[in-house]
Amino acid sequence: MDAMEQRRNLIVDLVNQSGNISFAQLKKKIPQISEMTLRTDLKALDEAKRIVRVHGGAKSVDVVIGTDDMLSRRLVRNIEAKQLIIQKALKLIRKDTTIFLDSGSTTTALASCIPDQSNLIYTNSLTCAVELCKLMNPKVHVLGGSINQYSMSICGIHAIQDILRINFNQVFMGVTSYCEQTGFSCGVDEEAVLKKAVMNQAEQSIILMDSTKVGVKSTYTICELSDVDIIISDDNLPEEFLEDCKKYKVQVI
């Protein structure tokens, strides 16, 4: 590993530790490098999507996208758990219904397996849309709005306006985390607002969540456990969480 790579790895570590750090703070922590070199490094790391440059400093990718990694990396994580969740979810999809598919690696995998049948499908996920384009029979709509290039999703006021005029039979929702204190949550404010709006328009709200997300906190609450109808997960959910699901009459599959 050469000196430049070591230096840039150090910068990424410092940004990740702080979540949000100013240029001046970085310069103070690495006084041995010049301001010009630091600016060059920040630009290169931003282009490599290892950090996110902002005015006056940098942010961790985790903070910006509200997840533990970029979507391209999440797609190859916990593959066995995702496949189990997908097989369970497919059994719930009914023909001739209106469905919303949320963004995320699990919903993208679900989109790739949805049967080629008559459904009206809405999504805010560009990766889900690509998978759904392979089907002939469903009618697919992509929400308009602002694109998050890290999660490949769409959110914002225009997306909310689209949602408020639609009544969904089923919503398949991804979440970043769940804990008793904060409920289901994610790390991006606009995405949390969109998820809430979708669930308010849904006859049946279905959460797709592997067991590793239980007991984890994120910044923005989407909903409480009592707001959910069904949770589809792997077979490793904590017993205490399962008891809470029974308490609120949430079906766990």
Side-chain angles (χ1 to χ4, degrees), residues 33-60:
I33 66 173
S34 68
E35 289 192 6
M36 183 178 293
T37 300
L38 181 55
R39 293 186 193 280
T40 300
D41 287 346
L42 290 175
K43 181 180 179 182
L45 290 169
D46 178 75
E47 290 173 351
K49 295 183 170 59
R50 296 182 65 191
I51 63 161
V52 178
R53 274 200 308 170
V54 296
H55 180 69
K59 284 187 177 184
S60 165

Side-chain angles (χ1 to χ4, degrees), residues 14-239:
L14 291 171
V15 173
N16 287 339
Q17 288 169 18
S18 301
N20 189 353
I21 192 168
S22 70
F23 183 87
Q25 289 171 324
L26 271 174
K27 185 67 182 71
K28 187 174 181 180
K29 289 179 180 291
I30 321 175
Q32 66 272 26
I33 66 173
S34 68
E35 289 192 6
M36 183 178 293
T37 300
L38 181 55
R39 293 186 193 280
T40 300
D41 287 346
L42 290 175
K43 181 180 179 182
L45 290 169
D46 178 75
E47 290 173 351
K49 295 183 170 59
R50 296 182 65 191
I51 63 161
V52 178
R53 274 200 308 170
V54 296
H55 180 69
K59 284 187 177 184
S60 165
V61 171
D62 296 3
V63 171
V64 175
I65 68 175
T67 60
D68 59 350
D69 215 332
M70 294 176 64
L71 179 61
S72 58
R73 296 173 185 169
R74 284 184 284 138
L75 286 168
V76 294
R77 183 177 295 141
N78 296 332
I79 292 177
E80 289 185 9
K82 286 185 175 69
Q83 288 301 320
L84 179 59
I85 291 168
I86 291 160
Q87 292 308 311
K88 293 177 179 181
L90 286 171
K91 295 177 182 178
L92 297 181
I93 296 176
R94 306 186 303 271
K95 189 177 179 180
D96 298 319
T97 57
T98 302
I99 297 168
F100 183 87
L101 285 183
D102 187 29
S103 62
S105 57
T106 306
T107 49
T108 299
L110 176 60
S112 71
C113 298
I114 282 182
D116 195 358
Q117 64 186 26
S118 175
N119 285 107
L120 181 57
I121 305 176
Y122 285 82
T123 186
N124 69 320
S125 166
L126 299 180
T127 52
C128 283
V130 169
E131 296 296 338
L132 294 169
C133 281
K134 300 172 185 177
L135 305 178
M136 297 298 296
N137 291 304
K139 189 172 182 181
V140 180
H141 294 266
V142 180
L143 300 180
S146 303
I147 294 176
N148 181 329
Q149 63 179 318
Y150 298 97
S151 61
M152 298 297 289
S153 65
I154 297 170
C155 56
I157 186 61
H158 297 295
I160 299 293
Q161 289 172 343
D162 280 350
I163 287 165
L164 294 179
R165 61 186 180 81
I166 307 162
N167 298 308
F168 303 106
N169 295 109
Q170 292 178 310
V171 168
F172 292 89
M173 184 69 63
V175 297
T176 302
S177 54
Y178 173 85
C179 74
E180 188 176 357
Q181 293 82 5
T182 59
F184 295 99
S185 55
C186 67
V188 180
D189 190 12
E190 284 190 333
E191 290 189 3
V193 172
L194 185 142
K195 291 172 189 285
K196 287 179 184 178
V198 170
M199 292 181 71
N200 287 338
Q201 298 295 111
E203 178 184 327
Q204 187 178 63
S205 295
I206 302 166
I207 298 287
L208 307 179
M209 180 185 72
D210 68 71
S211 56
T212 63
K213 296 180 178 179
V214 178
V216 181
K217 290 183 180 180
S218 294
T219 305
Y220 300 102
T221 295
I222 301 165
C223 66
E224 303 299 330
L225 182 58
S226 57
D227 299 318
V228 175
D229 296 301
I230 298 173
I231 293 172
I232 303 178
S233 188
D234 51 38
D235 296 325
N236 297 309
L237 290 171
E239 192 61 38

